[in-house]
Amino acid sequence: MRNDPIKYFFIWPALLVVLGVSIFPLIYSLTTSFMSFRLVPPTPSRFVGIDNYTSLLQNPRFWNAIGTTSLIAFLSVALQYVIGFAMALALNARVPGEKLFRVGFLLPMLIAPVAVALIARQMFNPTMGPLNHLMTQLGFPNLPYLTETPWALGAIIAVEVWQWTPFVVLMLLAGLQTLPHDVYEAADIENATPWQQFWGITFPMMLPVSVAVVFVRIIESYKIIDTVFVMTGGGPGVSTETLTLFAYQEGFKKFNLGYTSALSFLFLIVITVIGVVYLAILKPYLEKYR
């Protein structure tokens, strides 16, 4: 059956459809990024070369969006990894009520990010939110969770950590359950402490899984838009505006398609550079523990 030519009759149409759906928009967007192209007010498109790219690179708002996105991505992923690893270790140790905890930890990941952001916006409401109500009951003043930049960034990071830590727990727990038990039995014979077993056995053997999980979460965190859009709208001002929200403002509010296309490709370059640097830094360690 493997050499039967009929298989190509089923494979190639699907492959061509997928390529057409993915490659055509990519090429069209790349072409548009070199054009001055607005829908509102409608203006005829004209070739401007790299003017869109140079304009973006000279725009402080673009660099502010990169900094804000990087801050949210790296801080939230770091917290997700630390908390997720701790939870995965606890669940792997067969704590009481393990199955119940396992289901409970996965629930945040199954909720739509927009719904989570709507709930979070109510919770962090500066005047009527339950968190500030609790702070008032304890004698503290209302905190500007969504109206001052440091607090707003902290609130967004907290929501990201709450919602996506279950993904890290799920992946790391799967990795922990595949580790060989004989290594730990040998460590017990040598009277190694749990801390020594973690740093000498668990962490090095889990490094490939950890690298993959962190890489996926960083890429996904750089695409954050729904949480920021609902909770702060990029404010106060543009201090919490991310790259994707910046692209949304330019593309769907100003209808500046050429500028937005250039922004999208610069975003792609940023993600690619971060991914390449991340994997290049960790490659020696991965080869060491392969």
Side-chain angles (χ1 to χ4, degrees), residues 161-266:
V161 171
W162 181 82
Q163 181 164 26
W164 296 113
T165 297
F167 172 81
V168 180
V169 174
L170 187 64
M171 297 295 103
L172 294 180
L173 181 59
L176 286 171
Q177 292 178 342
T178 62
L179 297 182
H181 296 286
D182 53 348
V183 181
Y184 292 96
E185 292 173 358
D188 289 333
I189 294 173
E190 296 293 331
N191 294 322
T193 64
W195 189 250
Q196 290 172 331
Q197 291 185 25
F198 174 77
W199 284 112
I201 301 174
T202 306
F203 187 76
M205 295 180 70
M206 285 290 294
L207 193 58
V209 178
S210 298
V211 169
V213 169
V214 172
F215 182 73
V216 170
R217 284 304 309 140
I218 287 177
I219 299 301
E220 289 298 315
S221 295
Y222 260 84
K223 297 190 292 185
I224 180 175
I225 181 173
D226 29 28
T227 304
V228 178
F229 181 80
V230 173
M231 288 182 64
T232 65
V238 293
S239 59
T240 61
E241 186 178 61
T242 59
L243 280 168
T244 45
L245 184 57
F246 182 28
Y248 166 81
Q249 301 284 0
E250 292 293 329
F252 291 94
K253 286 195 171 182
K254 299 181 181 179
F255 296 99
N256 191 352
L257 300 188
Y259 196 74
T260 306
S261 297
L263 173 58
S264 299
F265 275 93
L266 284 178

Side-chain angles (χ1 to χ4, degrees), residues 34-48:
F34 296 107
M35 310 285 288
S36 175
F37 185 16
R38 276 184 178 272
L39 292 180
V40 179
T43 55
S45 60
R46 59 186 179 86
F47 181 76
V48 294

Side-chain angles (χ1 to χ4, degrees), residues 8 93 101 107 115 126 141 144-147 161 166 199 214 230 255 259 272 279 289:
Y8 298 108
F101 286 131
L107 289 178
Y145 289 113
L146 303 178
T147 54
V161 171
W199 284 112
V214 172
V230 173
F255 296 99
Y259 196 74
T272 303
L279 294 176
Y289 294 111

Side-chain angles (χ1 to χ4, degrees), residues 47-66:
F47 181 76
V48 294
I50 61 171
D51 286 358
N52 287 327
Y53 291 92
T54 55
S55 177
L56 269 170
L57 294 174
Q58 295 171 1
N59 190 346
R61 187 174 172 183
F62 171 72
W63 294 106
N64 176 74
I66 288 181

Side-chain angles (χ1 to χ4, degrees), residues 119-172:
I119 296 171
R121 188 175 67 179
Q122 296 302 318
M123 291 185 63
F124 289 116
N125 189 286
T127 55
M128 299 183 297
L131 287 179
N132 266 328
H133 179 71
L134 176 63
M135 298 296 290
T136 304
Q137 294 294 322
L138 296 176
F140 295 98
N142 282 2
L143 296 175
Y145 289 113
L146 303 178
T147 54
E148 289 188 9
T149 302
W151 290 100
L153 287 172
I156 292 169
I157 291 171
V159 172
E160 282 288 290
V161 171
W162 181 82
Q163 181 164 26
W164 296 113
T165 297
F167 172 81
V168 180
V169 174
L170 187 64
M171 297 295 103
L172 294 180

